[in-house]
Amino acid sequence: MKPCPSCGVQIEVNEGYPFWCEQCDWNLAVPSKERQGTAWERLERKMRDTYGQALFKELQDSPVLANKQGMSERVASAYSLVVIGCSVAGFLFSLYGLVTWYHSPFILISCLLILLLAWLSRPRPHPFPKTAILLNADEHPTTMKIFETVAEKMGVEKGIQFALSPYYEAYTSEYGWRRGRIVVIGYPLLFACTPGELTALLAHELAHCRNNDIRRSALVSHAQRILLNWCHFLDPIRDEDDEYHFSFIATFSRWIMRLLFWIPYRLLAVLIHLYWNQSQRAEYEADRMAAQLAGSRNLISLLQITHMNDVVEPLIARHSLQKQNMTLGQHLHETFSKLPEKEKMRILRILERSHQSMDTTHPATHMRIAMLLLKDAPPAYQISDGEYNKVCQEMTDHVQEKMEHRIIDDYRSKLA
């Protein structure tokens, strides 16, 4: 124990973790709000910060409204069809223009640009994640059996595939023209979880599959990609070169581009406003369903550890720079199994003050935790310690070398 330099209260010291005061928040180190990112990320962050509290209060009063599908979702789908229709019409018009008005250089160039934009915005399936490794029942029988058991208890139809990624993440997606569903679990996150937290993680991702949250947004995501392509194409170049910056022609052209950029940017803003509310409700509903199976406490603990990149990254750095007597997975498992409760409290305080979320499509994490605390649901099912150990052993036996090489290579590439 050491005295706090600010208020004098005795502070518990945990070696290897930040020294901070839970009484006055001395040395809490709350990160500043993010201001960078793509156009749609900035818009979604603004929506999260502006309207997130209002939605949270609405769901606090009536949690059953989390799965409510309002008019905005249907309008977003219709709006997306209009955007996609405009892209298709532009493609057809440009082909017609190339055939009919090919003698006019201005029209020819305009048609080629429209054709290029339409081609970049063409519908195409999501590819299978390049760095992920698909799990199968031959090499991972216990793991697949456990995953399928959780899927069955969540009421999810068969056909869900599971994969490992080298990142500290978890998500549900679709890939290929047949839109096969896949749940991707990060290798570091898998070893950082306890059996209860892993149950909550799988239950949350599978809840999205059960609620068809991915397929419902496929139309919107394609329209969003079209508008983003238009924004990127029209966003004027900012060059620091003085001659370019003060050139009259360059300044005039940038203003013209800014005016044109404003059109797709505002169309994108309208689309985000339409689907934002439903995407936030989908996360709250998936949390509610996961808590019913895995228990509220396990899910809250999971939400806390998913924000502990400052614990994971130093471990990856050590494994990247020097040989260790343990695998990365074993090191992560040991570190998180001994994680002090005060460190989890520090993360929770930071989340409350910074309004951080998993990404811009998710509500602020402290609001998700507060919603779960409204009703303390006990676990109805949990992966046992023995089953969890078998899962870790199968990962170590079959994918440890490939996955840890990818993790370390990715870390070293960031340093280069």
Side-chain angles (χ1 to χ4, degrees):
M1 302 288 283
K2 290 184 180 180
C4 172
S6 178
C7 66
V9 172
Q10 291 295 312
I11 305 174
E12 178 187 355
V13 179
N14 295 299
E15 188 177 351
Y17 295 95
F19 180 60
W20 69 286
C21 178
E22 57 265 45
Q23 187 70 29
C24 67
D25 289 344
W26 172 80
N27 202 33
L28 187 60
V30 179
S32 58
K33 286 188 177 181
E34 301 172 273
R35 299 185 183 277
Q36 302 302 317
T38 61
W40 66 275
E41 287 174 335
R42 294 195 298 272
L43 280 169
E44 286 184 335
R45 273 202 299 270
K46 184 178 179 182
M47 290 286 292
R48 179 193 65 192
D49 297 338
T50 306
Y51 302 113
Q53 192 66 40
L55 177 60
F56 173 70
K57 288 180 179 178
E58 178 190 344
L59 297 180
Q60 267 188 319
D61 297 334
S62 183
V64 294
L65 293 178
N67 59 355
K68 170 186 170 184
Q69 297 180 24
M71 178 63 71
S72 64
E73 185 181 13
R74 290 188 283 271
V75 174
S77 297
Y79 185 87
S80 299
L81 282 173
V82 171
V83 171
I84 295 169
C86 289
S87 179
V88 173
F91 177 77
L92 296 175
F93 176 79
S94 61
L95 288 178
Y96 178 78
L98 288 174
V99 174
T100 308
W101 299 304
Y102 60 90
H103 293 297
S104 171
F106 177 77
I107 295 178
L108 182 66
I109 292 171
S110 299
C111 289
L112 286 173
L113 290 176
I114 294 172
L115 194 63
L116 176 62
L117 270 176
W119 173 254
L120 292 174
S121 306
R122 71 191 184 280
R124 49 191 183 273
H126 286 289
F128 185 84
K130 289 182 180 179
T131 56
I133 296 175
L134 195 63
L135 302 179
N136 58 76
D138 294 332
E139 293 183 344
H140 314 93
T142 305
T143 304
M144 293 304 297
K145 183 179 178 182
I146 291 169
F147 288 1
E148 287 168 4
T149 300
V150 177
E152 183 181 347
K153 290 185 178 294
M154 289 299 296
V156 179
E157 60 186 23
K158 292 183 178 180
I160 305 293
Q161 294 180 299
F162 295 90
L164 282 181
S165 90
Y167 307 110
Y168 195 64
E169 63 182 3
Y171 62 91
T172 305
S173 185
E174 293 181 331
Y175 71 96
W177 287 109
R178 294 185 178 182
R179 299 177 69 183
R181 298 187 184 190
I182 182 170
V183 173
V184 181
I185 307 295
Y187 180 86
L189 183 56
L190 176 67
F191 281 92
C193 287
T194 63
E197 290 164 355
L198 180 59
T199 310
L201 176 63
L202 291 171
H204 176 88
E205 298 305 330
L206 288 165
H208 284 304
C209 294
R210 179 179 172 180
N211 295 334
N212 285 319
D213 293 331
I214 316 164
R215 299 193 173 187
R216 200 181 299 155
S217 63
L219 191 66
V220 173
S221 64
H222 178 52
Q224 179 178 290
R225 185 169 72 239
I226 291 173
L227 294 173
L228 281 172
N229 283 332
W230 293 351
C231 287
H232 292 158
F233 186 79
L234 295 171
D235 195 14
I237 299 171
R238 293 172 175 81
D239 199 321
E240 297 299 327
D241 183 71
D242 289 339
E243 184 180 350
Y244 178 85
H245 186 73
F246 291 107
S247 165
F248 172 77
I249 296 176
T251 303
F252 180 74
S253 65
R254 282 202 303 274
W255 274 106
I256 295 296
M257 293 289 282
R258 288 297 294 177
L259 288 172
L260 294 174
F261 169 79
W262 185 88
I263 299 171
Y265 185 79
R266 287 302 163 191
L267 291 173
L268 181 64
V270 171
L271 181 62
I272 289 174
H273 275 71
L274 288 172
Y275 78 73
W276 179 89
N277 190 282
Q278 187 58 34
S279 71
Q280 306 296 292
R281 289 177 185 273
E283 291 300 328
Y284 283 122
E285 176 65 7
D287 282 346
R288 184 189 67 81
M289 294 173 64
Q292 288 179 343
L293 181 71
S296 301
R297 294 294 167 182
N298 284 328
L299 185 52
I300 289 171
S301 180
L302 171 69
L303 291 173
Q304 288 173 316
I305 70 165
T306 51
H307 285 274
M308 290 186 177
N309 282 308
D310 55 350
V311 176
V312 176
E313 288 183 3
L315 291 180
I316 295 174
R318 278 192 285 251
H319 279 263
S320 302
L321 300 174
Q322 58 188 20
K323 188 173 178 62
Q324 302 290 319
N325 57 2
M326 290 187 290
T327 67
L328 177 59
Q330 290 169 339
H331 204 167
L332 282 164
H333 182 63
E334 182 184 88
T335 300
F336 276 87
S337 64
K338 298 177 180 177
L339 195 70
E341 283 301 317
K342 185 180 176 183
E343 180 63 12
K344 289 189 175 182
M345 185 192 300
R346 184 182 74 89
I347 295 298
L348 186 57
R349 292 274 181 94
I350 289 174
L351 292 174
E352 289 172 351
R353 285 154 179 74
S354 64
H355 295 263
Q356 290 182 12
S357 60
M358 301 297 182
D359 59 42
T360 53
T361 63
H362 289 60
T365 303
H366 78 279
M367 292 184 183
R368 295 172 64 185
I369 292 173
M371 189 68 71
L372 290 166
L373 288 172
L374 292 176
K375 186 177 180 181
D376 188 10
Y381 168 78
Q382 183 174 303
I383 298 169
S384 68
D385 291 341
E387 290 173 326
Y388 177 76
N389 291 334
K390 287 182 180 178
V391 170
C392 293
Q393 189 60 51
E394 289 178 354
M395 298 299 129
T396 304
D397 291 343
H398 298 287
V399 298
Q400 176 257 326
E401 187 174 353
K402 285 182 182 178
M403 193 55 67
E404 294 192 8
H405 270 305
R406 294 181 187 186
I407 294 170
I408 292 170
D409 288 345
D410 179 70
Y411 179 80
R412 288 174 178 169
S413 67
K414 290 177 182 177
L415 297 178

